[in-house]
Amino acid sequence: MSIDSKTVKRVARLARIRVEDAELDHLAGEIGGIVAWIEQLGEVKTDGVEPLAALNGLTLPWRADIVTDGDKASDVLANAPQAVEGFFAVPKVVE
Amino acid sequence: MSELTELTIAEALAALRRRSISAKELTDAHIAAVEAARSLNAFIVETPLHARAAAKEADARYAKGEARAIEGIPLGIKDLFCTKGVGTTAGSNILRNFVPPYESTVTQKLWDAGAAMLGKLNLDEFAMGSSNETSAFGNVANPWRRKGENCKLTPGGSSGGSAAAVAARLCLGATGTDTGGSIRQPASFTGIVGIKPTYGRCSRYGIVAFASSLDQAGVFARSVEDTAILLGVMAGHDPKDSTSAKIAVPDFSAALSRGVKGLRIGIPKEYRVDGMPAEIDALWKKGAAWLKDAGAELVDVSLPHTKYALPAYYVVAPAEASSNLARYDGVRFGLRQPGKDLTDLYERTRAAGFGKEVRRRIMIGTYVLSAGYYDAYYLKAQKVRALIARDFAEVYKNVDAILTPTAPSAAFALGEKSADPIAMYLNDVFTVPANLAGLPGLSVPAGLSADGLPLGLQVLGKAFDEEMVFRVGRVIEQQAAFAAKPEAWWRVA
């Protein structure tokens, strides 16, 4: 299916990427071209095929639900664009 | 001292152990080479202090007889591996000022074995690219040029800086990561050896994530033996990465001399793609003949879903990327652009911080995962992926390894393919299937194109059978006797 500029706008919003209106048509063409190319997957018969969930038979291991790391608040905040008194700071979200 | 930069890792270690060279001399020669090659733009950050400190310790350890596995070997690190206290950018503006407070497991293992870090190497932004042209830190130039031309060529991608640095003799080896071919294709384009091991062989802890079910760390060096030495140091289970395998790491170097006598090598007919240059097909046939001469049996095999590997990849990889890159929100780390509210801050930060290709892939990933499309695209792609993995499993019942070309072309010019994303994606047609199936793959330089550019052959193996891949690769290396090297046009006195 073709991708229109309305779809691009919706997807950009979902992805939290600001896209200027002037770019929408161009992006629709570009993304639409890639999606159309991807659609050749429709030719493959996949009835009864389980989607791949683990590679090489490896399943994820279990571990005890205990704290193994921590007490690194200053490390965690070291790269924050804005940190205040041990917290990440963001623009006001609640009026 | 330029001859010091010509050594292989195995030769350098032998010389260091004999004490005929010092780690200081070896490191200084490489630091000088790095400084004289800035026009290649292979490094994002140079770390001579780190390298010199490691060399000093290495010399002390050699003096005391306490040298570790790769004591005093100067390496470059793809700038996707977090290095404690040394900026790690992933080639992106969004991480331009990010300084990790922790070290990736793979790099920690290298330092614990005595390696010295020369710097952090340029790459496609978040490893998304096949030409290193999506980096926010500029293009990397391939040390190789076409015969009689001065036009700058791509070193391939995404690990373009790593490949260029090793090919230009700026470091003895370098780390890379390979999500769809990002080690093997640049290795082929620059005439060096590169291995992507089995998914789960190396820890992904501390590697900036792109597509977590496909990403795997690996290495570049100038001989098969050197890649075996480095991979032996880097590999192994890590409790910090739940997808790293609890499987013992064999002595890869010991496998090198076993030869290929009696082995069955698969030649997959689907890798003979339309439009592939005749010289690559001829090189592939030559590679097969070398293996046959060395006692292997060639077997025609079929991997029927090969054609669908790339489109499946371009669903799965962007989907995982859109999820992984959701963390770059301008709040906890990385770039922040002010906004009128929190959503506006997110949107402006991500628009300013991510380059064009990364934004495009995040949007494709978001689209294929969005309500109403998930089954048609993502689930479908994961089913096709299961069929691709099954194709390999069937073939491996009957053969020990598979031989293919690494890439459908030699290195191309910077700018030649950057306007057409699908043309760029097609670079990875031979490398992507191994990522989808989680299998090991090695690229070994096997010859030169008519233009005088290196071409690689790819050896694919069974899961966790890198030993076989090294074995077969070593025979191709011996038979090809690839000795060509680029002229040092980039060097400033």
Side-chain angles (χ1 to χ4, degrees):
Chain A
M1 65 168 269
S2 70
I3 306 264
D4 55 21
S5 54
K6 216 177 109 198
T7 307
V8 174
K9 199 164 183 166
R10 182 177 62 86
V11 169
R13 180 73 181 182
L14 284 172
R16 296 290 185 269
I17 295 174
R18 184 183 168 91
V19 174
E20 304 301 332
D21 286 346
E23 296 172 78
L24 287 173
D25 281 346
H26 174 72
L27 275 172
E30 223 172 49
I31 294 174
I34 294 167
V35 169
W37 173 72
I38 284 167
E39 280 175 353
Q40 60 178 300
L41 291 176
E43 297 164 13
V44 186
K45 263 190 75 147
T46 52
D47 304 341
V49 177
E50 282 295 311
L52 188 137
L55 284 165
N56 305 327
L58 298 173
T59 49
L60 292 181
W62 292 80
R63 65 163 174 83
D65 184 16
I66 48 168
V67 175
T68 57
D69 203 355
D71 291 328
K72 289 179 180 163
S74 61
D75 279 357
V76 170
L77 290 170
N79 282 285
Q82 201 188 348
V84 180
E85 294 177 18
F87 294 94
F88 295 111
V90 294
K92 195 171 172 184
V93 270
V94 182
E95 289 302 326
Chain B
M1 297 239 276
S2 67
E3 68 276 16
L4 290 176
T5 59
E6 292 294 328
L7 297 173
T8 63
I9 291 171
E11 289 164 352
L13 285 171
L16 286 163
R17 285 177 193 137
R18 280 197 310 271
R19 313 286 307 279
S20 62
I21 61 170
S22 69
K24 182 180 188 307
E25 288 167 327
L26 185 65
T27 298
D28 285 347
H30 283 91
I31 290 171
V34 168
E35 287 173 353
R38 289 189 180 133
S39 60
L40 293 175
N41 200 31
F43 284 81
I44 291 176
V45 179
E46 295 170 15
T47 56
L49 291 179
H50 184 290
R52 289 206 169 96
K56 195 172 172 190
E57 181 176 355
D59 281 328
R61 282 179 175 263
Y62 278 111
K64 283 189 283 184
E66 290 171 4
R68 297 163 293 182
I70 49 170
E71 194 75 58
I73 298 298
L75 300 176
I77 301 299
K78 185 178 186 180
D79 204 19
L80 202 63
F81 291 80
C82 286
T83 41
K84 189 175 180 174
V86 177
T88 299
T89 67
S92 181
N93 277 323
I94 216 158
L95 288 176
R96 190 173 277 272
N97 298 312
F98 175 63
V99 180
Y102 64 100
E103 187 79 24
S104 84
T105 296
V106 160
T107 48
Q108 188 63 55
K109 279 170 172 273
L110 292 169
W111 315 143
D112 288 347
M117 176 166 68
L118 289 164
K120 304 294 293 290
L121 293 157
N122 206 340
L123 69 160
D124 278 300
E125 184 177 8
F126 285 101
M128 296 182 197
S130 305
S131 64
N132 217 113
E133 289 169 293
T134 72
S135 171
F137 296 82
N139 295 338
V140 176
N142 192 329
W144 292 82
R145 299 191 291 194
R146 291 187 190 116
K147 220 186 303 174
E149 287 184 25
N150 293 334
C151 153
K152 280 192 180 167
L153 305 178
T154 172
S158 67
S159 313
S162 301
V166 173
R169 275 69 178 165
L170 311 185
C171 39
L172 293 178
T175 64
T177 61
D178 190 316
T179 303
S182 286
I183 290 174
R184 290 160 288 158
Q185 181 252 24
S188 179
F189 279 14
T190 58
I192 60 173
V193 183
I195 181 164
K196 176 199 97 73
T198 310
Y199 183 81
R201 184 58 99 181
C202 293
S203 171
R204 292 182 297 106
Y205 177 79
I207 299 173
V208 176
F210 161 15
S212 302
S213 78
L214 302 160
D215 297 344
Q216 184 59 204
V219 283
F220 294 91
R222 293 191 296 268
S223 75
V224 174
E225 181 181 19
D226 285 1
T227 57
I229 292 169
L230 292 176
L231 187 64
V233 171
M234 289 163 52
H237 176 251
D238 176 14
K240 290 178 185 158
D241 173 8
S242 61
T243 64
S244 79
K246 270 192 181 151
I247 292 178
V249 179
D251 180 354
F252 295 128
S253 301
L256 292 168
S257 56
R258 287 182 203 148
V260 293
K261 200 161 182 192
L263 294 184
R264 293 168 63 83
I265 306 294
I267 307 293
K269 64 175 185 201
E270 291 80 5
Y271 281 59
R272 205 157 276 122
V273 297
D274 291 342
M276 184 163 83
E279 60 187 359
I280 291 183
D281 195 43
L283 186 72
W284 187 16
K285 288 199 175 86
K286 209 183 208 178
W290 289 332
L291 294 175
K292 197 171 175 209
D293 288 347
E297 185 187 341
L298 303 177
V299 184
D300 287 322
V301 298
S302 173
L303 296 161
H305 295 91
T306 298
K307 176 180 168 200
Y308 300 104
L310 267 181
Y313 176 86
Y314 277 96
V315 174
V316 174
E320 294 187 15
S322 75
S323 169
N324 270 325
L325 273 59
R327 74 191 67 181
Y328 303 102
D329 57 4
V331 173
R332 289 160 301 160
F333 58 106
L335 179 82
R336 169 184 288 192
Q337 289 289 103
K340 62 181 189 315
D341 55 27
L342 195 53
T343 301
D344 193 42
L345 178 151
Y346 293 150
E347 292 187 345
R348 287 178 186 276
T349 295
R350 291 162 64 80
F354 293 135
K356 194 172 150 210
E357 178 66 18
V358 172
R359 293 199 303 270
R360 179 157 62 208
R361 293 205 200 184
I362 291 173
M363 285 198 271
I364 289 169
T366 304
Y367 178 72
V368 300
L369 291 174
S370 63
Y373 298 101
Y374 180 88
D375 285 7
Y377 293 111
Y378 185 72
L379 210 60
K380 181 78 183 182
Q382 288 287 53
K383 286 179 180 177
V384 173
R385 189 176 176 188
L387 292 173
I388 288 164
R390 192 191 289 174
D391 284 353
F392 278 108
E394 284 300 314
V395 164
Y396 281 135
K397 285 178 185 166
N398 196 31
V399 301
D400 299 294
I402 293 170
L403 181 73
T404 79
T406 305
S409 74
F412 47 90
L414 291 168
E416 194 176 318
K417 296 190 184 183
S418 38
D420 180 353
I422 293 173
M424 188 66 89
Y425 298 169
L426 288 172
N427 263 290
D428 298 330
V429 61
F430 299 143
T431 47
V432 150
N435 297 84
L436 290 170
L439 302 172
L442 174 111
S443 179
V444 56
L448 292 176
S449 71
D451 286 339
L453 297 178
L455 298 169
L457 289 174
Q458 174 178 238
V459 182
L460 299 174
K462 298 175 186 175
F464 298 103
D465 196 8
E466 289 85 0
E467 288 171 282
M468 181 64 70
V469 168
F470 283 129
R471 241 172 113 174
V472 176
R474 177 76 185 110
V475 168
I476 294 171
E477 180 180 52
Q478 283 168 331
Q479 301 273 347
F482 184 88
K485 53 178 257 193
E487 275 177 56
W489 54 268
W490 60 85
R491 193 174 292 152
V492 294

